[in-house]
């Protein structure tokens, strides 16, 4: 059963069964006592145009049957002639979705609508042959009213959706299709409106909190409705803590806002360490005190403040923002939202010390915000990558004039009750920074955000801060975000004494997991299409993480940073932009099709840079040593060895012999950087420890010490030839709902169990029993292997296989991995 966490639901006195037509051949979706229900099952899909497909009588019997969410582009194939910026995948074209259903006569006095969490993009929605709604922006949630267009009783209704995403509509991989969840909303004639609650906590202390709830009551009848709105708060355990009843007279065919002020004594405040979630229950009672609508909204009790000198304060406590920017794709799963895949990403990020996410550069899935609420991550919620001036020919600029106000208002109303959301971004690297009218445009957008939610600040990520200052965009946001200019933070603070400054996009270091090139030097490209894991390579505008650490330490009142990026993502394979018809030289870059920016690769495996951030952002003792220790042919030659730690000092051993201790911050490691970070293109970093170690096969071990005690150990060993496979699932038990996933790490090891760092063996997967193979990956940004095959080459000795359980089938999923010349591996996943 779908987890309705953080989803508004309403109890209604109607048992409604939606039965698919015979041609759809899917299990009926049943409704009993809830207003909001999943509408994901029973769809048919066709890739290509299909004239007349909106008509009820159209024959879709040969179309593919599927369950949403669905991303058709991730299915491939990769195309060397396609745009590498968007992953060289088929993101454009036309796609049709159809769903057939019946509505009983008992629902004739009800009001039905469909909510799309996102459809990529240019969506047109038809019911029984008539167009009833459309939305061009693929990242925005929108609803379409079905009432007045439905057939009842045994008559079949046909809902059809036509999508026409365009090439060069995005600067990264957007996906294609109905890639987020779809919901059916069933109400009576008087009900809480869509996103109809707005909850604020104007006073919060340890002793008590004041909760103000504004509830929009919609009356769709022809006469005035005299109602009572009963508002209650449930604590995190589901126990009622306070309640208030408010009478309301709602005029005919209108919406009335009812305000309730409630007090919660000794509140459990939402914090990163204890993200306590309350629930607001809004009940609409008629004149006979009968409940005709019930709407629930999760929320958190917390206070936020942004201060020029103190930085970001959460419940009065200073918190440094240790954030990442992330695009919305889920690696091998593409853009199709999956709750467990999103949860796994957050779990991995938190291990690095991440406490904030920037939704680059668009409204996120509701699931991401739900999970951030529950897992204690704060969010910069971002709206647009462009306004009127285009970055790509078919981007949002085509729709900005007509849709920007509605998109902003819907975006804020959907997300404003999430305690995780702490700031609204009106745009990323907007070209209007350099336009005289940019300030007025920023003022207009900020006004919409403030009207819908005056409790949170607006911001924008400026990559041309001088232009943003000159044209007054900086004056028309509440927080000044700076992209890739940490050496200017202090200047901006001095020149604008009231401004609050932070790094909205930082570093953009690039690397490949487990790959090391010698000598250690900065370069633009490498013939291998991989980039060194020594964490020193960055594009011309960017720099290694150490530079940002330095300025963040120097200026503690800077709010913090959002690193580009947490995870690798599909598209933008900087610096390899080959293919796409760019000529013979650029074709040498193929098949690079994914980014190298993440400190976690596309498969979810941490790179070395992950541990560099962990050494600065966490307190649990840790040490990480790099590189691998397989350097045959370099015996006796010096290999640069680095250690990242949050301990006091590290002692390095080779085959049991100490190579000396080094204290953290006591000496600098000189690393190459771009000219923008340093005129001599060198930077002295105190955030790394380095030894030059003459290579000899064996064991390289780093021992971390604090206060005279050994607190952490890490080691790498010289591996022999590939001999066997091992498989380690992230979870051995999953739900039998067709959606829950197990992510299984596959390792190529030698006979002694050491990871073979250069192994690229082809691994085949066989999945039997109560589940199926969902996707495969290996974290390699430069391969055209399909994500949906039953095999994958290892990359730097590792691969990933993702499986899901069959819906409603409890039992075991049996997964076997085989490779030529390798002992096979097997594992079982239990489905419940």
């Amino acid at each position: 059963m779908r987890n309705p966490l953080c989803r508004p639901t309403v109890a209604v006195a109607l048992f409604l069964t939606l039965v698919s037509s015979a041609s759809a051949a899917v299990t009926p979706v049943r409704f009993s006592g809830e207003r909001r229900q999943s509408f994901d099952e029973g769809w048919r899909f066709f890739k290509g145009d299909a004239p007349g497909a909106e008509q009820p009588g159209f024959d879709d019997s040969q179309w593919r049957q599927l369950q949403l969410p669905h991303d058709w582009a991730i299915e491939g194939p990769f195309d060397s002639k396609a745009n590498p910026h968007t992953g060289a995948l088929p993101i454009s074209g036309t796609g049709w979705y159809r769903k057939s259903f019946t509505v009983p006569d008992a629902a004739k006095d009800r009001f039905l609508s469909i909510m799309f969490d996102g459809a990529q993009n240019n969506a047109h929605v038809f019911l029984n042959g008539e167009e009833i709604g459309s939305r061009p922006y693929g990242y925005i949630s929108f609803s379409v009213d079905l009432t007045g267009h439905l057939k009842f009783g045994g008559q079949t209704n046909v809902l059809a959706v036509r999508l026409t995403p365009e090439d060069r509509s995005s600067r990264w991989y957007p996906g294609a299709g109905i890639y987020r969840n779809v919901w059916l909303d069933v109400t009576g004639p008087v009900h809480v409106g869509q996103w109809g609650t707005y909850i604020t906590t104007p006073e919060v202390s340890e002793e008590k909190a004041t909760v103000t709830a504004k509830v929009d009551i919609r009356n769709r009848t022809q006469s005035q409705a005299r109602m009572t709105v009963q508002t209650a708060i449930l604590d995190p355990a589901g126990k009622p803590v306070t309640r208030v009843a408010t009478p309301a007279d709602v005029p005919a065919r209108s919406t009335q806002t009812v305000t309730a002020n409630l007090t919660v004594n000794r509140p459990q405040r939402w914090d990163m360490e204890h993200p306590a979630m309350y629930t607001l229950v809004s009940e609409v009672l008629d004149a006979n005190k009968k409940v005709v609508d019930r709407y629930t909204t999760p929320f958190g009790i917390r206070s936020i403040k942004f201060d020029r000198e103190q930085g970001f304060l959460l419940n009065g406590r200073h918190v440094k923002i240790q954030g990442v920017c992330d695009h919305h794709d889920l690696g091998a799963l593409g853009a199709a939202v999956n709750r467990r895949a999103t949860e796994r990403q957050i779990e991995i990020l938190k291990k690095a010390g991440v406490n904030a996410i920037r939704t680059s550069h668009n409204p996120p899935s509701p699931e991401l915000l739900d999970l951030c609420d529950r897992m204690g991550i704060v969010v910069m919620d971002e709206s647009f990558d462009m306004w009127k001036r285009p970055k790509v020919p078919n981007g949002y600029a085509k729709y900005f004039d007509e849709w920007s106000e509605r998109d902003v208002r819907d975006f804020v109303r959907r997300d404003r009750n999430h305690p995780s959301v702490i700031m609204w971004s009106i745009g990323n690297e907007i070209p209007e920074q350099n336009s005289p009218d940019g300030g007025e445009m920023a003022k207009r957008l900020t006004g919409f955000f403030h009207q819908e939610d005056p409790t949170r600040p607006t911001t924008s990520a400026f990559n041309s801060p001088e232009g943003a200052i000159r044209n007054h965009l900086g004056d028309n946001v509440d927080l000044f975000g700076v992209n890739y200019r940490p050496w200017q933070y202090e200047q901006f603070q001095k020149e604008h004494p009231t401004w609050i400054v932070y790094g909205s996009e930082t570093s953009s270091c690039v690397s490949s997991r487990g790959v090391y090139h010698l000598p250690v030097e900065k370069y633009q490209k490498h013939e291998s299409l991989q980039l060194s894991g020594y964490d020193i390579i960055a594009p011309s505008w960017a720099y290694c993480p150490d530079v940002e650490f330095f300025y963040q330490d120097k200026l503690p009142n800077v709010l913090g940073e959002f690193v580009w990026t947490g995870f690798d993502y599909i598209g933008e394979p900087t610096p390899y932009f080959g293919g796409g018809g760019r000529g013979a030289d650029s074709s040498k870059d193929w098949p690079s099709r994914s980014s190298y920016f993440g400190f976690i690769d596309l498969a979810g495996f941490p790179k070395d840079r992950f541990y560099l951030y962990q050494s600065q952002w966490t307190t649990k003792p840790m040490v990480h040593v790099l590189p691998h220790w397989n350097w045959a042919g370099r015996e006796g030659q010096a290999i640069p060895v680095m250690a990242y730690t949050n301990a006091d000092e590290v002692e390095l051993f080779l085959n049991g012999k100490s190579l000396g201790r080094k204290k953290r911050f006591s000496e600098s490691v000189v690393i190459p950087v771009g000219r923008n970070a340093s005129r001599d293109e060198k930077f002295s970093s105190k955030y790394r420890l380095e030894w030059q170690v003459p290579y000899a096969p064996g064991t390289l071990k780093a021992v971390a010490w604090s206060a005279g005690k050994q607190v952490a150990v890490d080691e790498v060993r010289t591996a022999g030839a590939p001999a066997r496979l091992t498989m380690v699932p992230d979870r051995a038990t999953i739900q039998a709902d067709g959606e829950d996933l197990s992510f299984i790490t596959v390792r190529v090891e030698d006979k002694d169990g050491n990871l073979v760092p250069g192994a690229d063996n082809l691994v085949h997967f066989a999945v039997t029993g109560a589940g199926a193979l969902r996707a495969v990956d290996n974290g390699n940004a430069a391969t055209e292997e399909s994500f949906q095959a039953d095999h994958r080459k290892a990359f730097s000795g590792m691969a990933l296989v993702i499986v899901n359980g069959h819906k409603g089938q409890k039992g075991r999923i049996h997964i076997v991995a085989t490779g030529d010349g390798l002992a096979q591996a097997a594992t079982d996943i239990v489905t419940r």
Side-chain angles (χ1 to χ4, degrees):
M1 182 176 179
R2 178 177 302 278
N3 188 338
L5 183 66
C6 263
R7 294 289 186 182
T9 60
V10 181
V12 293
L14 171 69
F15 181 89
L16 173 62
T17 303
L18 298 187
V19 184
S20 302
S21 69
S23 67
V26 295
T27 303
V29 182
R30 298 187 179 277
F31 296 80
S32 178
E34 289 192 12
R35 164 173 161 174
R36 186 175 173 89
Q37 292 291 321
S38 172
F39 213 56
D40 285 343
E41 291 190 359
W43 291 83
R44 286 186 177 268
F45 168 70
F46 177 75
K47 176 65 164 59
D49 205 0
E54 75 279 7
Q55 297 301 323
F58 182 88
D59 182 9
D60 62 8
S61 60
Q62 301 304 308
W63 286 16
R64 175 179 166 191
Q65 298 182 49
L66 53 75
Q67 177 175 330
L68 304 178
H70 172 238
D71 174 9
W72 81 60
I74 199 63
E75 298 168 5
F78 291 103
D79 182 354
S80 62
K81 295 182 176 59
N83 185 355
H85 289 260
T86 52
L89 285 165
I91 64 162
S92 60
T94 301
W96 279 92
Y97 294 83
R98 282 168 54 97
K99 181 179 175 73
S100 301
F101 60 96
T102 62
V103 181
D105 285 331
K108 285 184 177 180
D109 63 345
R110 315 306 290 181
F111 293 82
L112 281 71
S113 62
I114 294 290
M115 169 64 72
F116 295 87
D117 283 347
Q120 196 68 263
N121 61 351
N122 295 319
H124 290 265
V125 183
F126 304 85
L127 181 61
N128 298 328
E130 181 179 353
E131 183 168 357
I132 58 172
S134 65
R135 201 63 169 244
Y137 193 26
Y139 294 103
I140 204 73
S141 297
F142 67 99
S143 69
V144 180
D145 191 1
L146 306 182
T147 310
H149 307 278
L150 287 167
K151 300 174 183 178
F152 296 92
Q155 300 182 79
T156 299
N157 294 278
V158 177
L159 185 69
V161 182
R162 183 175 188 261
L163 301 172
T164 56
E166 299 177 280
D167 192 23
R168 304 189 71 190
S169 61
S170 174
R171 297 188 301 120
W172 59 88
Y173 176 75
I178 306 179
Y179 72 114
R180 292 179 179 169
N181 289 303
V182 180
W183 307 89
L184 179 69
D185 198 45
V186 183
T187 74
V190 182
H191 56 268
V192 178
Q194 174 187 293
W195 305 317
T197 55
Y198 177 37
I199 305 165
T200 59
T201 52
E203 297 181 24
V204 178
S205 68
E206 190 173 343
E207 290 74 29
K208 70 174 184 177
T210 299
V211 178
T212 297
K214 295 183 178 180
V215 184
D216 292 340
I217 307 301
R218 185 180 184 188
N219 179 7
R220 300 187 67 171
T221 69
Q222 299 292 340
S223 58
Q224 178 172 293
R226 177 157 292 179
M227 315 299 292
T228 298
V229 179
Q230 189 164 267
T231 308
I233 293 177
L234 310 182
D235 69 13
K239 179 182 177 181
V241 293
T242 184
R243 184 188 306 268
V244 65
T246 308
D249 290 324
V250 188
R253 307 194 66 81
S254 69
T255 298
Q256 181 88 359
T257 300
V258 177
T259 301
N261 293 302
L262 304 100
T263 299
V264 177
N265 294 316
R266 306 294 297 179
Q268 299 180 50
R269 288 178 289 181
W270 188 93
D271 209 325
M272 293 174 176
E273 289 76 22
H274 304 285
M277 293 295 294
Y278 285 78
T279 302
L280 185 83
V281 179
S282 305
E283 292 182 324
V284 182
L285 286 69
D286 64 15
N288 297 317
K289 304 303 180 182
K290 177 184 176 182
V291 175
V292 296
D293 204 24
R294 186 175 188 270
Y295 194 92
T296 64
T297 310
F299 73 101
I301 295 175
R302 55 97 174 111
S303 66
I304 60 171
K305 181 180 179 182
F306 295 87
D307 184 84
R308 160 80 180 193
E309 299 304 324
Q310 296 177 286
F312 171 53
L313 302 174
L314 178 60
N315 297 321
R317 178 177 62 89
H318 172 259
V319 175
K320 192 76 168 181
I321 291 176
Q322 299 170 175
V324 296
C325 305
D326 268 329
H327 281 319
H328 71 301
D329 76 69
L330 295 170
L333 300 172
V337 69
N338 178 276
R339 185 176 184 83
R340 171 56 195 160
T342 306
E343 180 182 53
R344 172 181 179 254
Q345 285 196 340
I346 298 174
E347 288 172 350
I348 296 169
L349 289 170
K350 283 174 70 72
K351 290 177 181 177
V354 171
N355 63 16
I357 291 174
R358 175 186 175 201
T359 69
S360 311
H361 302 292
N362 43 261
S365 70
E367 286 76 12
L368 175 67
L369 297 184
D370 293 347
L371 288 162
C372 287
D373 287 345
R374 302 285 170 175
M375 299 173 75
I377 297 287
V378 296
V379 176
M380 181 207 295
D381 212 354
E382 192 151 69
S383 53
F384 305 122
D385 187 47
M386 67 193 80
W387 298 344
K388 291 184 67 171
R389 290 182 58 183
K391 297 180 182 180
V392 288
N394 296 313
Y396 188 75
K398 295 173 65 172
Y399 314 111
F400 182 85
D401 282 341
E402 179 180 359
W403 286 96
S404 58
E405 178 177 355
R406 183 173 177 185
D407 283 345
V408 166
R409 293 189 187 279
D410 283 356
F411 168 49
V412 179
R413 289 170 184 171
R414 187 196 73 167
D415 292 353
R416 63 189 178 182
N417 290 320
H418 289 279
S420 57
V421 176
I422 61 169
M423 61 177 90
W424 304 111
S425 172
I426 67 173
N428 167 67
E429 296 186 348
I430 297 300
E432 282 84 352
Q433 292 168 93
N434 296 307
S435 298
D437 62 348
E440 283 302 310
M441 296 178 72
K443 182 178 181 180
R444 169 180 172 269
L445 290 174
T446 288
F448 299 150
F449 279 99
H450 284 173
Q451 288 164 22
E452 298 296 337
D453 175 35
T455 71
R456 295 175 179 89
T458 61
T459 188
S460 187
F462 298 124
N463 65 325
S464 177
E466 293 85 0
I469 293 169
R470 181 175 60 253
N471 293 307
H472 302 290
L473 282 82
D475 292 322
N476 285 297
V477 292
D478 304 305
L479 305 175
F480 192 75
V482 181
N483 285 9
Y484 306 111
R485 304 282 190 89
W487 42 87
Q488 289 186 280
Y489 293 159
E490 191 169 16
Q491 171 193 338
F492 297 142
Q493 288 179 331
K494 288 181 178 179
E495 294 176 354
H496 304 275
T498 62
W499 283 13
I500 299 172
V501 177
Y502 71 102
S504 45
E505 195 167 310
T506 65
S507 184
S508 268
C509 191
V510 286
S511 64
S512 302
R513 176 183 50 79
V515 175
Y516 309 94
H517 296 146
L518 296 177
V520 176
E521 60 183 12
K522 189 180 187 301
Y523 54 80
Q524 292 302 311
K525 295 184 179 182
H526 194 274
E527 62 184 7
S528 67
L529 302 185
Q530 304 300 337
L531 297 162
S532 177
Y534 276 108
D535 303 323
I536 59 164
I537 310 299
S540 59
W541 70 84
Y543 45 87
C544 54
D546 316 54
V547 176
E548 188 71 31
F549 293 155
F550 173 78
Y551 288 101
Q552 292 286 338
D553 288 347
K554 181 181 178 182
L555 302 166
N557 61 341
V558 170
L559 297 178
E561 65 168 314
F562 290 90
V563 178
W564 192 266
T565 55
F567 280 79
D568 279 341
Y569 53 92
I570 303 172
E572 285 195 303
T574 308
Y576 303 105
F577 287 114
R582 290 190 166 208
D585 289 338
S586 63
S587 68
K588 294 179 181 179
D589 292 348
W590 182 255
S592 287
R593 45 70 177 152
S594 292
S595 84
Y596 301 77
F597 289 117
F599 58 69
I600 304 160
D601 73 16
L602 202 67
F605 301 143
K607 303 179 186 179
D608 293 289
R609 206 164 358 117
F610 174 97
Y611 302 99
L612 181 56
Y613 283 101
Q614 189 181 64
S615 73
Q616 303 306 310
W617 287 356
T618 67
T619 57
K620 181 181 178 180
M622 58 76 60
V623 64
H624 176 74
V625 65
L626 67 141
H628 61 65
W629 206 237
N630 273 52
W631 297 99
R634 291 182 178 268
E635 285 78 7
Q637 297 180 28
I639 304 296
V641 173
M642 293 185 184
Y644 304 151
T645 188
N646 56 14
D648 295 342
E649 55 185 339
V650 173
E651 186 172 11
L652 188 69
F653 295 86
L654 178 60
N655 296 327
K657 180 182 177 180
S658 175
L659 303 181
R661 290 193 183 190
K662 292 182 181 289
K663 292 185 176 181
R664 189 184 187 212
F665 301 146
S666 65
E667 56 185 84
S668 296
V669 175
V670 178
I671 53 179
V673 294
R675 187 164 294 179
N676 59 345
S678 171
R679 290 184 179 179
D680 64 0
E681 300 186 27
K682 295 180 181 179
F683 183 81
S684 295
S685 172
K686 65 179 182 178
Y687 304 101
R688 312 175 187 218
L689 302 174
E690 184 181 44
W691 292 258
Q692 295 293 327
V693 181
Y695 176 65
T699 301
L700 189 69
K701 181 166 71 172
V703 179
W705 301 82
S706 286
K709 296 181 179 180
Q710 180 178 315
V711 294
V713 176
D714 189 35
E715 66 180 32
V716 289
R717 297 183 179 185
T718 305
R724 70 186 194 190
L725 297 169
T726 62
M727 303 177 74
V728 181
D730 69 333
R731 294 186 305 155
T733 301
I734 62 175
Q735 297 298 309
D737 59 4
E739 299 178 10
D740 200 6
L741 303 172
S742 182
F743 292 79
I744 303 168
T745 299
V746 182
R747 289 167 47 102
V748 180
E749 299 178 346
D750 68 7
K751 63 182 179 60
D752 298 318
N754 299 307
L755 179 73
V756 182
D760 62 355
N761 304 68
L762 180 63
V763 183
H764 289 267
F765 303 102
V767 181
T768 57
L773 187 151
R774 186 73 165 263
V776 294
D777 199 2
N778 59 10
N780 184 358
T783 176
E784 53 188 316
E785 295 174 281
S786 171
F787 292 123
Q788 304 203 339
D790 63 356
H791 57 273
R792 191 70 162 191
K793 282 187 174 182
F795 176 66
S796 293
M798 298 174 70
L800 178 75
V801 59
I802 309 170
V803 299
N804 64 270
H806 294 313
K807 187 171 183 179
Q809 185 175 340
K810 298 179 181 180
R812 291 183 181 272
I813 310 171
H814 186 61
I815 307 102
V816 178
T818 58
D820 290 346
L822 302 175
Q824 73 176 33
T827 191
D828 286 335
I829 306 297
V830 176
T831 62
R832 293 182 177 174

